[in-house]
Amino acid sequence: MEILRKFKILGRSKSPIFAFTVTAGLALTAVTGSATAVSIFRDSPSNKIATAVEGVVRSSRAIYSITLTVADYKYTLRRLPADSDEYLQRLTEVHSRSAKRILKLCESNKGFYVKAGQFVATLKLVPKEYSLALSSLQDKAVPCNFQEIKQVLTSNLGQNLTEIYLSFDEEPIAAASIAQVHHAVLKNHQEVAVKVQYPGLKQNMMLDTMIMSFLSKSVAKIFPEYRFDWLVYEFVKSISQELDFLQEAKNSERIAKNFKHNKMITIPTVFSEFTTTQVLTMQFCKGFKVDDVESLKRTNVSPEKVAKVLVEVFAEMIFVHGFIHGDPHPGNILVSPEGQNGFSLVLLDHGNCKTLDEAFRRDFCRLWEALILLDSNKIQELGKQFGVGKYAKFFPVIFTGRTSESKSGLGKGMSIQERQKLKQELKLLRLEDVTTFMGSLPPDFLTVLRTEYNPRSSVI
């Protein structure tokens, strides 16, 4: 991560399209470039040659994809006025092509590429074509061979599986970018979910940052006006935390304690005697993904009520507890048809949790108060405290979809004049504005931007 702190690329004025596009495309390739060897290394020396060859293939695939993406944008949009209808039409087309290209890269290289794609899909400032395409990566991870998983289990738990479990399903019930989950039954008949980390991930984090540095510098030569060091830095920090399952267990227990009086929330119990840095054993909870509207209706669970509970849960994390779940995609939130009001939410995967600085938490509460009350002076004042200065005018655009001078309250539509004003402000955005704004935000703000889940778009 020390490498990332050295990236200081000066910005130059350009259309905002490049700011959004590079965030989704170029930065994704940079952070996923680190996955080239991380997700394919194995501990056995006999695999070194095969690993090296595959690493070259995967790196070449990443470089090819990003080069093609850059060329596509440059040549498709060349000589077109940024405010013309033809520009906007071609822009949508190149967004779609590039998003499919990046998705294919993630699917082909697997591993951390999938994780990086999920990371970028949660960012608020990427075009919808990217977020929609990359969100499909939630279900794209390919399971690891069970013999390798079994080796991780026995080496971490120090016993044969038959000494610990009455039964252990070799077929995983879920597979993600850094681990897969198996259903099992302990000797005491307790039904559990066992999360097992893929072998070789943590040992290769140094190689991860080396490859990332190379790709970052390469992209900087193509787009010297774009600074995405904050994005790369946040991804590396995020993935480093997720590789320690003991920390994930502590995070899970802390969230369970925070919501112990909330009967609408279930946090799976962790069994510490069967948990290590690479193996996490927890209570098995049944349910379906929070965006599975058909299952909600089939079980007579109101999507609107689910959305309301979901908003309240994450609002409580941010505004009250100051300890938040950093990866709230639908695969990590289940709806159980059991509960006090006919259902409950099951929160999974607590590897990427963050404790907010107390001063930041209070200022963020004040920011939302100012947004609701349409207090533009207070928004500007808080902008100085957050370190973004004049760019505080973007806060209403990001969080409420309104300009800083809007008089329309939340839940009400904007007037025609306000819509025109917002459209004009977005057209005047320069690349330097967006990158300076994002780069100036405190780390906690970037975490909140990823965590602020929008259940209305997924559930209702």
Side-chain angles (χ1 to χ4, degrees), residues 8-14 223-227 430-433 435-436:
K8 298 293 182 182
I9 306 170
L10 297 178
R12 296 201 301 261
S13 299
K14 268 195 181 291
F223 268 115
E225 68 277 8
Y226 183 62
R227 301 183 305 171
R430 300 174 300 164
L431 173 59
E432 183 180 1
D433 291 326
T435 57
T436 300

Side-chain angles (χ1 to χ4, degrees), residues 49-87:
I49 295 179
T51 295
V53 172
E54 189 171 352
V56 171
V57 172
R58 291 155 64 87
S59 293
S60 300
R61 188 183 291 138
I63 294 172
Y64 170 78
S65 296
I66 192 58
T67 301
L68 193 57
T69 297
V70 171
D72 197 358
Y73 275 102
K74 281 186 172 290
Y75 286 100
T76 301
L77 303 175
R78 71 187 187 280
R79 300 191 188 95
L80 292 177
D83 58 351
S84 67
D85 291 338
E86 184 179 2
Y87 178 91

Side-chain angles (χ1 to χ4, degrees), residues 39-53:
S39 61
I40 59 173
F41 268 49
R42 295 294 181 264
D43 297 329
S44 173
S46 62
N47 288 331
K48 287 185 177 180
I49 295 179
T51 295
V53 172

Side-chain angles (χ1 to χ4, degrees), residues 417-432:
Q417 292 80 5
E418 287 176 342
R419 289 181 182 277
Q420 292 176 340
K421 175 70 173 177
L422 177 57
K423 186 176 181 180
Q424 185 63 29
E425 284 196 9
L426 292 176
K427 280 187 177 182
L428 293 175
L429 276 179
R430 300 174 300 164
L431 173 59
E432 183 180 1

Side-chain angles (χ1 to χ4, degrees), residues 282-318:
M282 54 196 154
Q283 171 191 3
F284 180 80
C285 296
K286 296 180 181 179
F288 41 83
K289 291 169 63 174
V290 71
D291 62 346
D292 187 349
V293 178
E294 290 186 6
S295 294
L296 289 174
K297 293 180 178 179
R298 187 176 65 250
T299 54
N300 295 319
V301 175
S302 167
E304 289 81 3
K305 290 182 178 180
V306 171
K308 182 176 183 295
V309 172
L310 197 54
V311 168
E312 291 172 348
V313 167
F314 281 93
E316 186 173 340
M317 286 184 185
I318 295 171

Side-chain angles (χ1 to χ4, degrees), residues 336-444:
S336 171
E338 302 174 357
Q340 186 174 349
N341 296 315
F343 74 93
S344 63
L345 296 183
V346 182
L347 300 186
L348 306 173
D349 194 353
H350 305 281
N352 185 16
C353 290
K354 179 71 180 290
T355 300
L356 300 178
D357 176 78
E358 180 60 16
F360 169 83
R361 184 190 68 81
R362 291 178 180 176
D363 285 341
F364 193 72
C365 290
R366 294 188 183 100
L367 173 61
W368 263 101
E369 180 183 32
L371 290 170
I372 293 171
L373 298 178
L374 305 176
D375 189 342
S376 58
N377 292 330
K378 188 65 175 179
I379 292 172
Q380 289 298 323
E381 178 186 330
L382 288 166
K384 293 179 181 178
Q385 292 182 226
F386 286 129
V388 299
K390 65 178 182 178
Y391 298 110
K393 65 180 181 180
F394 295 144
F395 285 149
V397 177
I398 293 173
F399 291 111
T400 66
R402 288 161 169 73
T403 68
S404 57
E405 300 173 359
S406 175
K407 301 302 179 183
S408 299
L410 295 182
K412 298 180 181 179
M414 288 187 291
S415 66
I416 296 177
Q417 292 80 5
E418 287 176 342
R419 289 181 182 277
Q420 292 176 340
K421 175 70 173 177
L422 177 57
K423 186 176 181 180
Q424 185 63 29
E425 284 196 9
L426 292 176
K427 280 187 177 182
L428 293 175
L429 276 179
R430 300 174 300 164
L431 173 59
E432 183 180 1
D433 291 326
V434 178
T435 57
T436 300
F437 171 68
M438 296 302 292
S440 300
L441 289 171
D444 283 352

Side-chain angles (χ1 to χ4, degrees), residues 185-406:
V185 180
L186 297 174
K187 287 289 188 177
N188 64 357
H189 299 278
Q190 172 66 51
E191 200 173 6
V192 294
V194 185
K195 182 177 179 180
V196 188
Q197 189 175 121
Y198 300 134
L201 296 182
K202 196 168 185 179
Q203 296 89 330
N204 292 283
M205 283 300 292
M206 182 58 70
L207 180 59
D208 179 2
T209 55
M210 288 172 58
I211 297 175
M212 183 180 300
S213 175
F214 166 73
L215 284 177
S216 298
K217 291 176 180 177
S218 299
V219 169
K221 292 180 180 179
I222 302 171
F223 268 115
E225 68 277 8
Y226 183 62
R227 301 183 305 171
F228 60 88
D229 52 313
W230 59 270
L231 176 58
V232 179
Y233 178 84
E234 285 300 311
F235 174 74
V236 173
K237 185 170 63 173
S238 168
I239 201 65
S240 298
Q241 294 173 347
E242 293 190 53
L243 293 180
D244 184 356
F245 287 0
L246 287 175
Q247 183 59 52
E248 179 174 349
K250 293 178 181 178
N251 293 342
S252 178
E253 291 167 353
R254 182 173 175 181
I255 290 182
K257 183 179 179 180
N258 288 344
F259 287 96
K260 64 181 179 180
H261 299 302
N262 190 330
K263 303 302 181 184
M264 299 302 297
I265 302 299
T266 298
I267 309 296
T269 302
V270 173
F271 298 93
S272 56
E273 63 270 37
F274 303 115
T275 295
T276 70
T277 56
Q278 291 183 295
V279 177
L280 177 62
T281 304
M282 54 196 154
Q283 171 191 3
F284 180 80
C285 296
K286 296 180 181 179
F288 41 83
K289 291 169 63 174
V290 71
D291 62 346
D292 187 349
V293 178
E294 290 186 6
S295 294
L296 289 174
K297 293 180 178 179
R298 187 176 65 250
T299 54
N300 295 319
V301 175
S302 167
E304 289 81 3
K305 290 182 178 180
V306 171
K308 182 176 183 295
V309 172
L310 197 54
V311 168
E312 291 172 348
V313 167
F314 281 93
E316 186 173 340
M317 286 184 185
I318 295 171
F319 297 115
V320 181
H321 303 154
F323 186 71
I324 57 180
H325 189 302
D327 195 14
H329 64 74
N332 287 338
I333 306 171
L334 303 182
V335 178
S336 171
E338 302 174 357
Q340 186 174 349
N341 296 315
F343 74 93
S344 63
L345 296 183
V346 182
L347 300 186
L348 306 173
D349 194 353
H350 305 281
N352 185 16
C353 290
K354 179 71 180 290
T355 300
L356 300 178
D357 176 78
E358 180 60 16
F360 169 83
R361 184 190 68 81
R362 291 178 180 176
D363 285 341
F364 193 72
C365 290
R366 294 188 183 100
L367 173 61
W368 263 101
E369 180 183 32
L371 290 170
I372 293 171
L373 298 178
L374 305 176
D375 189 342
S376 58
N377 292 330
K378 188 65 175 179
I379 292 172
Q380 289 298 323
E381 178 186 330
L382 288 166
K384 293 179 181 178
Q385 292 182 226
F386 286 129
V388 299
K390 65 178 182 178
Y391 298 110
K393 65 180 181 180
F394 295 144
F395 285 149
V397 177
I398 293 173
F399 291 111
T400 66
R402 288 161 169 73
T403 68
S404 57
E405 300 173 359
S406 175

Side-chain angles (χ1 to χ4, degrees), residues 66-245:
I66 192 58
T67 301
L68 193 57
T69 297
V70 171
D72 197 358
Y73 275 102
K74 281 186 172 290
Y75 286 100
T76 301
L77 303 175
R78 71 187 187 280
R79 300 191 188 95
L80 292 177
D83 58 351
S84 67
D85 291 338
E86 184 179 2
Y87 178 91
L88 294 176
Q89 180 180 348
R90 291 195 181 184
L91 176 58
T92 300
E93 294 171 355
V94 73
H95 272 337
S96 181
R97 287 196 303 270
S98 299
K100 291 177 182 178
R101 190 179 299 122
I102 297 300
L103 175 62
K104 184 177 180 180
L105 169 65
C106 293
E107 291 174 337
S108 298
N109 282 4
K110 304 181 178 66
F112 277 11
Y113 281 80
V114 173
K115 192 68 181 179
Q118 293 173 346
F119 180 87
V120 172
T122 63
L123 296 174
K124 286 180 174 289
L125 293 180
V126 298
K128 63 179 181 180
E129 290 85 359
Y130 283 89
S131 57
L132 288 174
L134 296 177
S135 63
S136 67
L137 291 171
Q138 294 166 8
D139 304 310
K140 294 291 185 180
V142 178
C144 184
N145 181 280
F146 182 70
Q147 290 306 312
E148 294 185 69
I149 293 297
K150 184 177 180 181
Q151 185 176 357
V152 174
L153 284 165
T154 54
S155 63
N156 275 265
L157 301 179
Q159 302 179 64
N160 292 325
L161 299 190
T162 54
E163 298 178 78
I164 304 174
Y165 307 103
L166 284 177
S167 64
F168 192 100
D169 296 347
E170 295 188 6
E171 191 71 24
I173 56 176
S177 52
I178 65 172
Q180 61 192 51
V181 181
H182 293 260
H183 174 268
V185 180
L186 297 174
K187 287 289 188 177
N188 64 357
H189 299 278
Q190 172 66 51
E191 200 173 6
V192 294
V194 185
K195 182 177 179 180
V196 188
Q197 189 175 121
Y198 300 134
L201 296 182
K202 196 168 185 179
Q203 296 89 330
N204 292 283
M205 283 300 292
M206 182 58 70
L207 180 59
D208 179 2
T209 55
M210 288 172 58
I211 297 175
M212 183 180 300
S213 175
F214 166 73
L215 284 177
S216 298
K217 291 176 180 177
S218 299
V219 169
K221 292 180 180 179
I222 302 171
F223 268 115
E225 68 277 8
Y226 183 62
R227 301 183 305 171
F228 60 88
D229 52 313
W230 59 270
L231 176 58
V232 179
Y233 178 84
E234 285 300 311
F235 174 74
V236 173
K237 185 170 63 173
S238 168
I239 201 65
S240 298
Q241 294 173 347
E242 293 190 53
L243 293 180
D244 184 356
F245 287 0

